[in-house]
Amino acid sequence: MDSNVELRREIFSSDAWKIIDWLEDNQVTAYLNERQNVSDSIKQVMYRVNMPILTHLFNQDGSFFMITTKQGEPVGFLRLVPKGKGAEMVVVIGDREKWGKGLGTNAILKGLKQAFFEWRVDEVIAKINFKNERSRGVFKKIGFTKDKELPKEVQYSMTMEEFLKIAA
């Protein structure tokens, strides 16, 4: 399971500006469930807080990681949010030039390792917009199973046992 991405815990101010750019790109945010004003919220923090490292601000309701190439170039982000005995995963490849190159797949696999081995959760879920064929395909390809249809999205899940079978 060699990977072309890393998950970086530290969030620098340059990352925050990149995230703002991604969240202002309609093609990137077309299927995101994020609040529409989230980039404005980040901007307000950036103008208010003059700090080079913003890790603590991005990790308030879970774990937030920058997805980077092996060379350290940020291409997206991954968030894990505690949900009962499990975690919900959100993955965004913000750099559209990097779409379709397997970065999301590898980031999800790294996120699963984090959730199952560090957090020790029983299950990881992902809620994906019905229209987001690309994202739904990636989660299914990895081995997530569809377990719920919600009003605007499909919920996929994977248990620790299922993950151990594919990681073996």
Side-chain angles (χ1 to χ4, degrees):
M1 215 162 43
D2 188 35
S3 177
N4 55 354
V5 297
E6 300 289 337
L7 295 184
R8 173 164 45 82
R9 286 181 183 274
E10 292 78 30
I11 311 300
F12 302 105
S13 58
S14 59
D15 296 325
W17 289 113
K18 257 199 186 0
I19 292 167
I20 290 167
D21 285 344
W22 296 332
L23 294 176
E24 290 178 350
D25 181 333
N26 292 333
Q27 281 186 278
V28 172
T29 60
Y31 306 120
L32 277 186
N33 302 331
E34 303 292 332
R35 296 186 324 277
Q36 291 308 305
N37 62 347
V38 72
S39 73
D40 290 339
S41 314
I42 299 171
K43 272 188 205 165
Q44 287 170 359
V45 168
M46 296 301 293
Y47 294 130
R48 209 175 53 237
V49 180
N50 186 15
M51 292 191 296
I53 299 179
L54 305 166
T55 309
H56 64 290
L57 297 171
F58 281 86
N59 283 277
Q60 288 173 349
D61 58 351
S63 288
F64 190 96
F65 302 90
M66 287 305 290
I67 301 169
T68 68
T69 62
K70 287 281 191 203
Q71 296 72 37
E73 175 198 357
V75 293
F77 60 86
L78 183 142
R79 207 170 71 210
L80 289 172
V81 181
K83 296 273 186 228
K85 291 184 174 167
E88 182 176 347
M89 182 184 289
V90 177
V91 179
V92 175
I93 300 299
D95 183 342
R96 284 193 281 128
E97 291 176 18
K98 302 285 193 288
W99 285 4
K101 295 186 181 354
L103 301 174
T105 303
N106 285 311
I108 293 166
L109 290 168
K110 292 228 166 164
L112 288 169
K113 283 182 185 172
Q114 184 69 33
F116 291 127
F117 302 145
E118 302 291 321
W119 283 26
R120 299 273 186 223
V121 299
D122 297 335
E123 173 182 66
V124 173
I125 63 165
K127 294 178 183 170
I128 305 167
N129 186 300
F130 279 116
K131 296 178 189 147
N132 193 343
E133 294 295 331
R134 173 177 260 145
S135 191
R136 288 174 60 187
V138 168
F139 278 90
K140 281 194 277 196
K141 176 179 88 178
I142 288 172
F144 276 73
T145 48
K146 179 170 151 180
D147 62 8
K148 230 186 257 175
E149 292 216 358
L150 304 160
K152 291 182 185 160
E153 56 205 10
V154 183
Q155 179 174 303
Y156 292 89
S157 65
M158 179 178 283
T159 64
M160 166 78 108
E161 289 74 31
E162 292 165 332
F163 180 66
L164 290 174
K165 282 181 195 149
I166 63 163

